[in-house]
Amino acid sequence: MDYFEINGLKKLNGLVEVSGAKNAVLPLMAAAILNRGNIKISNVPTLSDSITMSKLLEEMGAKVQFSSNNSVSVDSSNLNKPFAPYDLVKTMRASFYVLGPLIARFGEAKVSLPGGCAWGPRPVDFHLDGLKALGVKISIENGYVVADGRSLKGSKIHFPKISVGATGNVLMAAILAKGTTVITNAAAEPEIQQLCQMLNQMGANISGIGSNLLIIEGVKTLTGTNHDVLPDMIEIGSWIGLAAMTRSELTIKNVRWEYLGQIPDIFKKLG
């Protein structure tokens, strides 16, 4: 079995550069479905999840190209297959992010449940309930979500619990819906803020970004854009923690202070 062996009590020093946030990249890549053109996303971490999302988009007909400078281009001009198979979705739960944008673009979608044919309450129920509120007809068939969103329309949606995934999925479906959508108890995490900002760059009309109240005015079309991914807050917090535990001095590069939340304050309280 593979394992890490760590010999402690060593001082750390030097400069570390934080990579882009994976949790932000995946919904951004899924959002490319909404646009019938090209989107370029920079500061993309080279991880298996990014590759899996690219394979899923390519399975639907998109062209995805990774560059040596940590950027990815998604051309969805010829994306024509609103279907996400189980063999790809099962490897990465974030693949479920494609459901909302597929419904918005095609008026229909067939996306595997992340766990296949699972009994009992599903972790995606908030996603499905939110989409139903937008007028989407949903059935579960052999472990797949089959959605008919031809009557997609704005609505008022309240999540019983804050959910990053459900907020992202419903938000993307609402972008091309007729009318106004109001989401209360929405997630306000940095990756949702990033998604909203990129969608607005593409021509969406989203207000309330960074709060638990999002208002989406539906638009008819979106355009391509270039977007830089925010740095990974978990990675930044990990480096700060390593410096604190080893009583070391590190310089952390590529930090967006406004997204760090309580991380600095908590470490300051610890001394």
Side-chain angles (χ1 to χ4, degrees):
M1 185 176 75
D2 294 334
Y3 68 96
F4 292 108
E5 183 175 312
I6 302 168
N7 296 309
L9 302 179
K10 303 287 185 181
K11 282 276 188 180
L12 307 176
N13 64 80
L15 173 71
V16 291
E17 185 167 356
V18 178
S19 59
K22 177 202 73 171
N23 290 340
V25 168
L26 301 177
L28 294 179
M29 292 179 70
I33 295 171
L34 292 164
N35 167 54
R36 299 176 185 270
N38 191 71
I39 287 175
K40 183 178 180 181
I41 305 170
S42 303
N43 197 28
V44 176
T46 307
L47 299 172
S48 59
D49 283 359
S50 305
I51 302 299
T52 298
M53 183 61 83
S54 70
K55 289 180 179 178
L56 181 56
L57 293 173
E58 288 173 334
E59 176 80 13
M60 298 175 184
K63 293 182 180 178
V64 184
Q65 183 175 1
F66 286 89
S67 302
S68 57
N69 62 351
N70 292 330
S71 67
V72 60
S73 295
V74 182
D75 183 352
S76 56
S77 302
N78 297 316
L79 194 149
N80 59 5
K81 190 178 177 183
F83 173 66
Y86 174 67
D87 60 343
L88 284 173
V89 177
K90 72 176 181 180
T91 64
M92 185 183 69
R93 297 190 61 85
S95 300
F96 203 68
Y97 269 124
V98 303
L99 179 61
L102 284 176
I103 293 171
R105 175 165 174 173
F106 295 100
E108 61 177 335
K110 184 177 180 180
V111 176
S112 171
L113 289 166
C117 282
W119 290 93
R122 290 175 296 269
V124 297
D125 281 349
F126 288 172
H127 300 237
L128 304 184
D129 291 343
L131 292 170
K132 288 176 182 177
L134 293 174
V136 182
K137 298 176 182 178
I138 291 176
S139 61
I140 308 297
E141 301 177 10
N142 300 317
Y144 280 84
V145 175
V146 180
D148 178 350
R150 288 173 291 180
S151 300
L152 200 63
K153 61 184 184 301
S155 181
K156 292 183 179 180
I157 298 165
H158 177 79
F159 291 121
K161 292 183 180 180
I162 292 176
S163 167
V164 171
T167 299
N169 235 333
V170 174
L171 167 73
M172 286 189 277
I175 294 299
L176 300 181
K178 294 180 180 179
T180 303
T181 297
V182 178
I183 304 176
T184 54
N185 209 27
E189 276 79 351
E191 52 263 43
I192 293 297
Q193 294 182 45
Q194 182 98 139
L195 175 61
C196 292
Q197 289 161 2
M198 190 184 86
L199 288 168
N200 276 352
Q201 289 173 1
M202 295 165 65
N205 187 349
I206 307 168
S207 58
I209 299 173
S211 76
N212 299 119
L213 173 66
L214 293 176
I215 301 173
I216 304 102
E217 300 289 348
V219 298
K220 291 184 178 180
T221 59
L222 297 176
T223 60
T225 190
N226 296 337
H227 194 81
D228 288 325
V229 176
L230 57 85
D232 194 313
M233 302 305 142
I234 297 174
E235 189 176 336
I236 293 171
S238 298
W239 283 118
I240 295 174
L242 282 168
M245 289 189 294
T246 57
R247 298 186 179 185
S248 304
E249 185 172 321
L250 296 178
T251 299
I252 306 171
K253 188 179 179 183
N254 191 25
V255 172
R256 294 279 295 277
W257 191 265
E258 67 270 26
Y259 287 114
L260 284 178
Q262 297 182 8
I263 292 176
D265 294 334
I266 289 172
F267 278 104
K268 285 178 181 177
K269 288 180 181 178
L270 295 172

